[in-house]
Amino acid sequence: MIGPVATGILVLALLHFAQAIFVPLAFSLFVIALVCPIQSALQRRLPRLIALLITIVVTLAVIVAISSSVAWGFSKLGQWLFANAGRFQLIYVNWTDWLEGHGVAIAGVLADRFDVRWLVGFTQGMAGRLNSFAGFALLVLVFTMLGLLEVDDFNERLGTPAAQPHGGQILLANREIGIKLRRFMIVRTFASVLTGLVVWMFALVAGLELAAAWGAIAFTLNYIPFLGPFVATVLPTLFAIAQFESWPMAVGVFVGLNLIQFVIGSYLEPLLIGTSLSISPFAVIFAVFFWSFMWGVPGAFIGVPILIAFIVYCARNPSSRWVAILASGKPI
């Protein structure tokens, strides 16, 4: 018992400390699972290398478009914050005075940590991180190209008699994972686009400045379960406090955004996904927070796809089937 536990701890430590390699590798495997059918369809009409080139170009265009939207949104917010720094500083001073007047000793600490300089730095830092992922994207691109070139040969090797019975099981599991990941991302993308549009329209109706930026941020962050919608809800609320200088308006913005996230994320999205991707909410929350602890923001994004692959592999092994049943939230 101690041996497997120690091995698991060592593997997790390796994944954490060598994340510069494993994070791009995980993302490349995720991208390969999504775009492999596109390359296969193109290869039936075009030479293999031409099909690969088209697939990579389309994939890169989608990634750049999504990342650019959130980078643009945060850059707009950073500019707005810099121009309205005095308004935020006055609000934080008023908060500090109110807390001190009610005997809250931590008021000074809160003011030091969460003043306008911290908020401006946070917003600009987010935009900077999103604009500096070129090296990460390049490594993902290289892994993806090599993987797409290897997919057909790898599947053939899995189907050889020498690789049986494990090769056949892995091949079937990989196909099932690909189908589930593609369905997950299609529904997630539809929900993200819908969330971005509704948030944009809500911000326009509410009179919230930078409505387009809030829509772009909500669209992109919706790809990260729980953490993304939370950030996309809290940030506009903080800005509403500064813009309107009215607690009722800020509460209205907060309630409206939470209602949008709840209807789309908790009702419409599960309805579209159906029972084929039924996963325990606890397992999803654990996966998001665990992989964000291991790999940061990329881990929060890739956590649920990793969980989907984990459930599929566990379900195909009799000794670990019980783990898949517990994580999926339904009998398998």
Side-chain angles (χ1 to χ4, degrees):
M1 182 65 182
I2 297 179
V5 172
T7 302
I9 293 175
L10 290 175
V11 169
L12 293 177
L14 177 63
L15 291 174
H16 176 70
F17 290 108
Q19 58 181 284
I21 297 297
F22 284 109
V23 175
L25 178 61
F27 267 84
S28 66
L29 293 175
F30 174 62
V31 173
I32 289 171
L34 295 179
V35 305
C36 192
I38 299 176
Q39 184 188 6
S40 299
L42 291 173
Q43 282 183 181
R44 290 194 286 268
R45 298 176 176 85
L46 300 171
R48 185 177 184 181
L49 290 180
I50 299 298
L52 173 64
L53 179 61
I54 295 175
T55 304
I56 291 297
V57 170
V58 172
T59 303
L60 190 60
V62 173
I63 294 175
V64 169
I66 294 176
S67 58
S68 297
S69 66
V70 69
W72 173 81
F74 273 109
S75 65
K76 287 293 183 181
L77 297 185
Q79 295 171 9
W80 191 92
L81 268 174
F82 186 78
N84 296 270
R87 190 187 304 180
F88 268 99
Q89 190 64 50
L90 178 62
I91 290 173
Y92 283 120
V93 170
N94 292 336
W95 282 3
T96 302
D97 293 339
W98 185 87
L99 289 172
E100 289 179 349
H102 289 75
V104 181
I106 201 172
V109 178
L110 289 175
D112 292 338
R113 289 183 177 272
F114 298 103
D115 62 3
V116 67
R117 290 172 296 177
W118 175 87
L119 197 56
V120 172
F122 171 79
T123 306
Q124 292 178 338
M126 287 292 294
R129 290 189 189 96
L130 291 166
N131 282 319
S132 63
F133 82 114
F136 172 80
L138 179 61
L139 195 53
V140 171
L141 181 64
V142 171
F143 282 151
T144 301
M145 291 178 60
L146 296 176
L148 288 173
L149 286 173
E150 187 77 11
V151 165
D152 293 336
D153 295 335
F154 182 71
N155 289 338
E156 290 179 3
R157 292 197 295 271
L158 287 175
T160 58
Q164 304 312 312
H166 303 293
Q169 290 294 323
I170 294 175
L171 186 60
L172 292 174
N174 289 346
R175 289 174 179 171
E176 183 180 353
I177 290 171
I179 293 172
K180 291 190 173 186
L181 289 181
R182 287 188 288 273
R183 182 169 186 179
F184 169 77
M185 284 305 296
I186 289 173
V187 174
R188 200 73 181 171
T189 299
F190 173 78
S192 297
V193 171
L194 183 60
T195 300
L197 290 174
V198 175
V199 168
W200 171 57
M201 290 186 291
F202 173 80
L204 285 176
V205 173
L208 196 62
E209 295 183 35
L210 303 177
W214 295 125
I217 290 174
F219 157 71
T220 309
L221 294 184
N222 195 66
Y223 281 100
I224 303 175
F226 297 105
L227 292 180
F230 175 76
V231 174
T233 300
V234 171
L235 279 181
T237 303
L238 294 176
F239 279 78
I241 295 173
Q243 178 183 333
F244 300 115
E245 299 182 3
S246 168
W247 283 103
M249 282 297 300
V251 172
V253 170
F254 180 76
V255 172
L257 292 175
N258 273 282
L259 184 61
I260 293 170
Q261 296 288 355
F262 175 80
V263 171
I264 296 177
S266 300
Y267 175 74
L268 182 60
E269 191 172 345
L271 185 65
L272 294 174
I273 291 178
T275 58
S276 62
L277 286 182
S278 179
I279 303 176
S280 168
F282 175 81
V284 172
I285 295 175
F286 177 80
V288 171
F289 281 93
F290 176 78
W291 288 107
S292 64
F293 166 77
M294 293 287 290
W295 292 343
V297 175
F301 175 85
I302 202 71
V304 175
I306 291 176
L307 176 62
I308 292 173
F310 176 76
I311 290 175
V312 171
Y313 277 119
C314 287
R316 291 190 170 273
N317 190 332
S319 63
S320 60
R321 189 178 178 87
W322 64 274
V323 179
I325 293 174
L326 293 178
S328 64
K330 69 178 182 66
I332 298 179

